[in-house]
Amino acid sequence: MIIIPRNILEIPKNGIARDEILELLSGEMKVNDINPFKRKCFGLSYLIDEDHAEFVKSAFSTFISENGLNPMAYPSLQSMETEVVAMTAWMLNGNRKTTGTMTSGGTESILNSIRAHRDWALDTKGIDKPEMILPVTAHPAFEKGAHYFNLNVVHAPVRDDLRADVEKVAKMVNENTVLLVGSAPCYPYGVIDPIEELAQIAAENNIGCHVDSCLGGFFLPWVEKAGYPLYCKWDFRVPGITSISADLHKYGYAAKPASVILYKNDDLRKYQFYVYPKWCGGIYGSPSMPGTRPGGAIAAAWATLKSIGQEGYIKYCQEVMDTTKKMCDGINAIDGLHVMGKPDMSIFSYTFDDDLHLDFYKFIDLVALKGEWFINRMQDPPAAHHNICRLHAPIVDEFLSDLKWALKKLKSMPSTEEIKGQAAMYGMVGTIDKTEEIETLVRDILLSEYSYNPKRKK
Ligand SMILES: *Cc1c(COP(=O)(O)O)cnc(C)c1O
């Protein structure tokens, strides 16, 4: 057995020339990466065009070494962050009491909200065995938060329309419940939960209601302003909502890492802040999870909101809605395929019709191989997931024709024929019925993926 040296790598003795490194970074290092500007990737990046991307890069680099941890040292960052939060509060129909902070992303916004609600409930109501009710479509960041902060999770099912079953949620509320969660929209199916009804249940029980609009926060307001019908109100116009997460680095078109967490008022936000007054290093206070906070992300978010403006966001929203409609109509027109539920914005998924007994993952592998598409797979049932952005407008016909080609091909293939792709992996995981075994398997993959290996291709 050859032992591959792993995990340690000597730092170059003498530094390598800067131009050589920059060339590596923009060349060789990137050759196997997805390039979203090729318009083939349906997730991970949310882009408008290369000009905007360059603009964001410049804004970010202007504040590359500034630190948002100390507002006294950088009044610039303080004013930009508070403006970003205030503009988000305006956009989500908040009032003068609405407050919040910027965070490093949707996950951190959600973690902050969970912890704030937990500590609020302990402090004001003495709840020390906190519970949170999560629709099964809620993002795993909530499970992560429950795990980190010791909350019990109760899962609520979704209805036939794939929106949270609020009647079931109402029955699950008990004396330990501190937080109800709804998504606007949820990641898997792109549908908005019945937020008004959820918030009413929360208000009647004097508990928290978090709306996860990480995806929709910077998109749905423009959907409404552009005149499309909305399933329901989901922002601060709904009285029972106590916090909302909205990602700047998704449809806000800002740089990573950036999101906003908003609270109904400071009675709640104060539980997000952390203070340790006794440290010999000085009195320590911090607004969110990290210590050091990237000034670049704050500057880039501020620059993006100011530069795109309401009219820009509305225009981009209309373009993306058009493309989404063309994609969904095209998919629904293919015999054997259907879009799941009624997506409320630009995120949707599709699966095989019930009477089509073929391997869906093989189908997606064929599609992906045919056009070099990067498509996210879902499970229970097997489905494919797409986030649409402005870059996808020109590829709709090509994509739909690849779907048709792949379905025809799959039908004509012997079922035992293997295809290069993810079907084999999903097939294997499908045969494991113990959750712990899958967890161990995935953890092992992560341990290996996040370890240095000189043999790994870039
Ligand atoms: C992306 C997303 C999150 C998590 O956000 P990150 O920025 O990836 O941490 C949470 N909820 C929804 C609905 C999302 O789409």
Side-chain angles (χ1 to χ4, degrees):
M1 199 178 90
I2 309 160
I3 298 170
I4 313 167
R6 280 191 3 172
N7 288 337
I8 56 165
L9 171 66
E10 188 182 353
I11 295 171
K13 278 234 163 49
N14 299 300
I16 302 165
R18 284 176 185 154
D19 48 358
E20 207 176 306
I21 289 177
L22 292 177
E23 203 180 300
L24 264 178
L25 283 178
S26 51
E28 201 179 305
M29 276 292 181
K30 278 196 178 180
V31 286
N32 290 307
D33 286 1
I34 308 165
N35 176 355
F37 288 108
K38 286 190 177 157
R39 307 169 195 273
K40 298 276 185 177
C41 175
F42 294 102
L44 298 171
S45 291
Y46 301 75
L47 296 162
I48 308 171
D49 53 35
E50 304 209 32
D51 277 355
H52 176 71
E54 283 303 316
F55 169 71
V56 170
K57 217 183 265 183
S58 310
F60 195 105
S61 57
T62 318
F63 278 79
I64 201 80
S65 56
E66 282 76 357
N67 188 342
L69 177 61
N70 188 337
M72 261 91 87
Y74 301 106
S76 56
L77 290 179
Q78 180 191 33
S79 88
M80 285 191 282
E81 175 171 359
T82 52
E83 280 196 29
V84 167
V85 171
M87 287 188 278
T88 310
W90 168 83
M91 181 182 69
L92 301 186
N93 291 296
N95 58 32
R96 290 168 60 181
K97 290 194 170 164
T98 311
T99 57
T101 62
M102 277 184 69
T103 69
S104 61
T107 300
E108 198 206 323
S109 289
I110 289 166
L111 294 180
N112 275 309
S113 169
I114 293 171
R115 203 187 117 256
H117 280 95
R118 182 198 69 171
D119 289 357
W120 162 80
L122 179 67
D123 197 28
T124 62
K125 304 201 275 184
I127 298 176
D128 57 3
K129 290 191 177 57
E131 263 184 33
M132 166 167 65
I133 302 176
L134 281 188
V136 291
T137 46
H139 192 276
F142 292 97
E143 314 283 347
K144 198 184 207 178
H147 183 73
Y148 284 2
F149 305 130
N150 277 317
L151 280 84
N152 187 32
V153 172
V154 186
H155 289 108
V158 291
R159 312 180 303 210
D160 288 344
D161 63 0
L162 303 173
R163 305 178 199 272
D165 189 332
V166 276
E167 282 180 28
K168 297 256 167 59
V169 171
K171 293 198 182 106
M172 289 169 166
V173 175
N174 65 32
E175 70 280 4
N176 288 325
T177 312
V178 299
L179 185 61
L180 305 185
V181 172
S183 306
C186 70
Y187 175 92
Y189 310 113
V191 298
I192 304 175
D193 286 326
I195 301 294
E196 288 160 304
E197 288 151 83
L198 267 178
Q200 195 183 338
I201 300 168
E204 283 164 4
N205 292 281
N206 183 30
I207 56 181
C209 176
H210 180 86
V211 177
D212 178 9
S213 69
C214 283
L215 276 173
F218 284 89
F219 196 89
L220 289 172
W222 318 115
V223 170
E224 187 177 348
K225 284 198 164 66
Y228 297 92
L230 262 196
Y231 172 69
C232 65
K233 287 202 177 66
W234 57 275
D235 63 16
F236 282 111
R237 283 171 290 186
V238 182
I241 293 173
T242 50
S243 62
I244 303 183
S245 49
D247 286 357
L248 288 154
H249 63 203
K250 289 181 181 159
Y251 289 100
Y253 307 120
K256 298 175 182 71
S259 169
V260 175
I261 174 72
L262 291 179
Y263 294 96
K264 193 185 178 83
N265 54 45
D266 267 343
D267 294 341
L268 200 46
R269 185 175 70 149
K270 71 177 182 191
Y271 292 101
Q272 175 181 307
F273 290 5
Y274 178 77
V275 182
Y276 186 68
K278 291 186 292 198
W279 186 35
C280 54
I283 296 170
Y284 186 88
S286 123
S288 54
M289 304 238 162
T292 295
R293 301 164 84 231
I298 296 172
W302 182 86
T304 299
L305 290 172
K306 295 278 185 185
S307 140
I308 296 178
Q310 298 181 45
E311 294 303 326
Y313 278 110
I314 291 172
K315 177 170 156 274
Y316 299 145
C317 164
Q318 284 168 321
E319 291 176 15
V320 172
M321 290 295 276
D322 277 354
T323 307
T324 308
K325 184 168 184 335
K326 283 188 194 131
M327 286 280 277
C328 289
D329 289 350
I331 289 165
N332 283 329
I334 299 173
D335 194 28
L337 281 182
H338 65 273
V339 170
M340 303 169 84
K342 292 223 158 26
D344 288 300
M345 49 176 265
S346 55
I347 290 103
F348 62 87
S349 53
Y350 49 93
T351 187
F352 282 158
D353 292 350
D354 283 344
D355 54 0
L356 186 58
H357 302 288
L358 290 171
D359 184 339
F360 186 83
Y361 294 124
K362 267 193 186 173
F363 166 66
I364 292 301
D365 284 346
L366 283 171
V367 178
L369 279 172
K370 175 79 166 61
E372 294 182 358
W373 305 102
F374 191 90
I375 306 165
N376 206 28
R377 276 75 162 169
M378 308 210 305
Q379 55 181 353
D380 303 323
H385 182 271
H386 293 246
N387 281 321
I388 299 300
C389 75
R390 190 161 174 263
L391 297 179
H392 298 125
I395 56 82
V396 176
D397 291 339
E398 185 193 347
F399 183 76
L400 292 173
S401 107
D402 285 358
L403 282 182
K404 285 178 220 160
W405 174 87
L407 195 52
K408 211 167 143 198
K409 173 95 180 156
L410 185 69
K411 283 179 177 166
S412 68
M413 262 173 47
S415 66
T416 48
E417 190 177 328
E418 300 277 328
I419 306 164
K420 192 170 142 262
Q422 298 178 22
M425 185 191 72
Y426 272 97
M428 186 188 69
V429 170
T431 62
I432 308 175
D433 47 24
K434 282 220 205 83
T435 316
E436 301 108 84
E437 277 179 44
I438 301 177
E439 249 186 71
T440 307
L441 180 79
V442 176
R443 205 177 289 272
D444 286 348
I445 294 173
L446 290 176
L447 286 170
S448 144
E449 291 283 320
Y450 288 95
S451 298
Y452 168 66
N453 179 350
K455 293 254 168 86
R456 182 184 294 135
K457 67 166 191 179
K458 298 254 176 359

